[in-house]
PDB file of all heavy atoms in Angstrom:
ATOM      1  N   ALA R  83      12.401  -1.506 -16.690  1.00 95.00           N
ATOM      2  CA  ALA R  83      11.034  -1.531 -17.173  1.00 95.00           C
ATOM      3  C   ALA R  83      10.077  -2.046 -16.053  1.00 95.00           C
ATOM      4  O   ALA R  83      10.436  -2.845 -15.205  1.00 95.00           O
ATOM      5  CB  ALA R  83      10.891  -2.593 -18.314  1.00 95.00           C
ATOM      6  N   THR R  84       8.874  -1.523 -16.074  1.00 95.00           N
ATOM      7  CA  THR R  84       7.901  -1.861 -14.977  1.00 95.00           C
ATOM      8  C   THR R  84       6.531  -2.287 -15.651  1.00 95.00           C
ATOM      9  O   THR R  84       6.025  -1.749 -16.658  1.00 95.00           O
ATOM     10  CB  THR R  84       7.626  -0.602 -14.121  1.00 95.00           C
ATOM     11  OG1 THR R  84       7.022   0.469 -14.985  1.00 95.00           O
ATOM     12  CG2 THR R  84       8.920  -0.090 -13.523  1.00 95.00           C
ATOM     13  N   PRO R  85       5.857  -3.113 -14.847  1.00 93.00           N
ATOM     14  CA  PRO R  85       4.558  -3.501 -15.248  1.00 93.00           C
ATOM     15  C   PRO R  85       3.517  -2.362 -14.552  1.00 93.00           C
ATOM     16  O   PRO R  85       4.153  -1.520 -13.874  1.00 93.00           O
ATOM     17  CB  PRO R  85       4.231  -4.816 -14.547  1.00 93.00           C
ATOM     18  CG  PRO R  85       5.171  -4.742 -13.386  1.00 93.00           C
ATOM     19  CD  PRO R  85       6.418  -3.962 -13.793  1.00 93.00           C
ATOM     20  N   PRO R  86       2.237  -2.445 -14.764  1.00 95.00           N
ATOM     21  CA  PRO R  86       1.496  -1.483 -14.132  1.00 95.00           C
ATOM     22  C   PRO R  86       1.512  -1.650 -12.665  1.00 95.00           C
ATOM     23  O   PRO R  86       1.680  -2.495 -12.100  1.00 95.00           O
ATOM     24  CB  PRO R  86       0.083  -1.855 -14.683  1.00 95.00           C
ATOM     25  CG  PRO R  86       0.270  -2.549 -15.939  1.00 95.00           C
ATOM     26  CD  PRO R  86       1.581  -3.207 -15.769  1.00 95.00           C
ATOM     27  N   TYR R  87       1.570  -0.328 -12.055  1.00 97.00           N
ATOM     28  CA  TYR R  87       1.377  -0.234 -10.586  1.00 97.00           C
ATOM     29  C   TYR R  87       0.088  -0.656 -10.141  1.00 97.00           C
ATOM     30  O   TYR R  87      -0.991  -0.709 -10.827  1.00 97.00           O
ATOM     31  CB  TYR R  87       1.769   1.259 -10.076  1.00 97.00           C
ATOM     32  CG  TYR R  87       3.127   1.693 -10.316  1.00 97.00           C
ATOM     33  CD1 TYR R  87       3.632   1.997 -11.553  1.00 97.00           C
ATOM     34  CD2 TYR R  87       3.844   1.829  -9.188  1.00 97.00           C
ATOM     35  CE1 TYR R  87       4.957   2.478 -11.646  1.00 97.00           C
ATOM     36  CE2 TYR R  87       5.157   2.335  -9.258  1.00 97.00           C
ATOM     37  CZ  TYR R  87       5.672   2.711 -10.542  1.00 97.00           C
ATOM     38  OH  TYR R  87       7.016   3.164 -10.763  1.00 97.00           O
ATOM     39  N   ALA R  88      -0.033  -0.989  -8.876  1.00 97.00           N
ATOM     40  CA  ALA R  88      -1.245  -1.284  -8.239  1.00 97.00           C
ATOM     41  C   ALA R  88      -2.199  -0.020  -8.330  1.00 97.00           C
ATOM     42  O   ALA R  88      -1.686   1.009  -8.217  1.00 97.00           O
ATOM     43  CB  ALA R  88      -1.086  -1.662  -6.786  1.00 97.00           C
ATOM     44  N   ASP R  89      -3.419  -0.218  -8.506  1.00 97.00           N
ATOM     45  CA  ASP R  89      -4.333   0.937  -8.718  1.00 97.00           C
ATOM     46  C   ASP R  89      -4.297   1.830  -7.534  1.00 97.00           C
ATOM     47  O   ASP R  89      -4.361   3.042  -7.631  1.00 97.00           O
ATOM     48  CB  ASP R  89      -5.718   0.362  -8.975  1.00 97.00           C
ATOM     49  CG  ASP R  89      -6.002  -0.183 -10.302  1.00 97.00           C
ATOM     50  OD1 ASP R  89      -5.128   0.064 -11.271  1.00 97.00           O
ATOM     51  OD2 ASP R  89      -6.994  -0.924 -10.498  1.00 97.00           O
ATOM     52  N   ALA R  90      -4.117   1.238  -6.435  1.00 97.00           N
ATOM     53  CA  ALA R  90      -4.143   2.023  -5.141  1.00 97.00           C
ATOM     54  C   ALA R  90      -3.083   3.068  -4.976  1.00 97.00           C
ATOM     55  O   ALA R  90      -3.155   4.014  -4.263  1.00 97.00           O
ATOM     56  CB  ALA R  90      -4.183   1.122  -3.868  1.00 97.00           C
ATOM     57  N   VAL R  91      -1.963   2.838  -5.701  1.00 98.00           N
ATOM     58  CA  VAL R  91      -0.724   3.676  -5.548  1.00 98.00           C
ATOM     59  C   VAL R  91      -0.497   4.454  -6.891  1.00 98.00           C
ATOM     60  O   VAL R  91       0.520   5.179  -6.859  1.00 98.00           O
ATOM     61  CB  VAL R  91       0.542   2.900  -5.079  1.00 98.00           C
ATOM     62  CG1 VAL R  91       0.001   2.146  -3.743  1.00 98.00           C
ATOM     63  CG2 VAL R  91       0.910   1.995  -6.032  1.00 98.00           C
ATOM     64  N   LYS R  92      -1.112   4.153  -7.978  1.00 97.00           N
ATOM     65  CA  LYS R  92      -0.759   4.812  -9.303  1.00 97.00           C
ATOM     66  C   LYS R  92      -0.760   6.353  -9.103  1.00 97.00           C
ATOM     67  O   LYS R  92      -1.833   6.924  -8.463  1.00 97.00           O
ATOM     68  CB  LYS R  92      -1.826   4.427 -10.323  1.00 97.00           C
ATOM     69  CG  LYS R  92      -1.477   2.996 -10.790  1.00 97.00           C
ATOM     70  CD  LYS R  92      -2.444   2.659 -11.924  1.00 97.00           C
ATOM     71  CE  LYS R  92      -2.227   1.169 -12.457  1.00 97.00           C
ATOM     72  NZ  LYS R  92      -3.224   0.853 -13.525  1.00 97.00           N
ATOM     73  N   GLY R  93       0.117   7.005  -9.626  1.00 98.00           N
ATOM     74  CA  GLY R  93       0.338   8.449  -9.503  1.00 98.00           C
ATOM     75  C   GLY R  93       0.849   8.929  -8.187  1.00 98.00           C
ATOM     76  O   GLY R  93       1.077  10.124  -8.175  1.00 98.00           O
ATOM     77  N   ARG R  94       1.053   8.068  -7.137  1.00 98.00           N
ATOM     78  CA  ARG R  94       1.643   8.493  -5.916  1.00 98.00           C
ATOM     79  C   ARG R  94       2.935   7.828  -5.629  1.00 98.00           C
ATOM     80  O   ARG R  94       3.831   8.469  -5.043  1.00 98.00           O
ATOM     81  CB  ARG R  94       0.702   8.225  -4.824  1.00 98.00           C
ATOM     82  CG  ARG R  94      -0.729   8.922  -4.954  1.00 98.00           C
ATOM     83  CD  ARG R  94      -1.468   8.779  -3.777  1.00 98.00           C
ATOM     84  NE  ARG R  94      -1.874   7.407  -3.498  1.00 98.00           N
ATOM     85  CZ  ARG R  94      -1.517   6.813  -2.426  1.00 98.00           C
ATOM     86  NH1 ARG R  94      -0.781   7.382  -1.357  1.00 98.00           N
ATOM     87  NH2 ARG R  94      -1.906   5.456  -2.180  1.00 98.00           N
ATOM     88  N   PHE R  95       3.113   6.572  -5.975  1.00 98.00           N
ATOM     89  CA  PHE R  95       4.390   5.822  -5.772  1.00 98.00           C
ATOM     90  C   PHE R  95       5.137   5.635  -7.008  1.00 98.00           C
ATOM     91  O   PHE R  95       4.585   5.437  -8.095  1.00 98.00           O
ATOM     92  CB  PHE R  95       3.960   4.398  -5.196  1.00 98.00           C
ATOM     93  CG  PHE R  95       3.420   4.428  -3.749  1.00 98.00           C
ATOM     94  CD1 PHE R  95       2.969   5.563  -3.202  1.00 98.00           C
ATOM     95  CD2 PHE R  95       3.236   3.226  -2.987  1.00 98.00           C
ATOM     96  CE1 PHE R  95       2.449   5.500  -1.887  1.00 98.00           C
ATOM     97  CE2 PHE R  95       2.820   3.271  -1.792  1.00 98.00           C
ATOM     98  CZ  PHE R  95       2.299   4.479  -1.188  1.00 98.00           C
ATOM     99  N   THR R  96       6.454   5.525  -6.865  1.00 98.00           N
ATOM    100  CA  THR R  96       7.362   5.177  -7.995  1.00 98.00           C
ATOM    101  C   THR R  96       8.448   4.221  -7.499  1.00 98.00           C
ATOM    102  O   THR R  96       9.079   4.435  -6.613  1.00 98.00           O
ATOM    103  CB  THR R  96       8.010   6.560  -8.544  1.00 98.00           C
ATOM    104  OG1 THR R  96       7.034   7.498  -8.771  1.00 98.00           O
ATOM    105  CG2 THR R  96       8.922   6.221  -9.658  1.00 98.00           C
ATOM    106  N   ILE R  97       8.619   3.269  -8.376  1.00 98.00           N
ATOM    107  CA  ILE R  97       9.768   2.305  -8.148  1.00 98.00           C
ATOM    108  C   ILE R  97      10.904   2.573  -9.041  1.00 98.00           C
ATOM    109  O   ILE R  97      10.578   2.978 -10.084  1.00 98.00           O
ATOM    110  CB  ILE R  97       9.250   0.759  -8.296  1.00 98.00           C
ATOM    111  CG1 ILE R  97      10.307  -0.183  -7.848  1.00 98.00           C
ATOM    112  CG2 ILE R  97       8.865   0.663  -9.774  1.00 98.00           C
ATOM    113  CD1 ILE R  97       9.822  -1.707  -7.779  1.00 98.00           C
ATOM    114  N   SER R  98      12.082   2.395  -8.454  1.00 98.00           N
ATOM    115  CA  SER R  98      13.185   2.603  -9.234  1.00 98.00           C
ATOM    116  C   SER R  98      14.341   1.838  -8.764  1.00 98.00           C
ATOM    117  O   SER R  98      14.231   1.098  -7.666  1.00 98.00           O
ATOM    118  CB  SER R  98      13.708   4.159  -9.271  1.00 98.00           C
ATOM    119  OG  SER R  98      13.963   4.504  -7.971  1.00 98.00           O
TER     120      SER R  98
END
Side-chain angles (χ1 to χ4, degrees):
T84 62
Y87 288 71
D89 288 342
V91 306
K92 285 181 179 177
R94 299 189 298 120
F95 290 11
T96 303
I97 189 171
S98 62

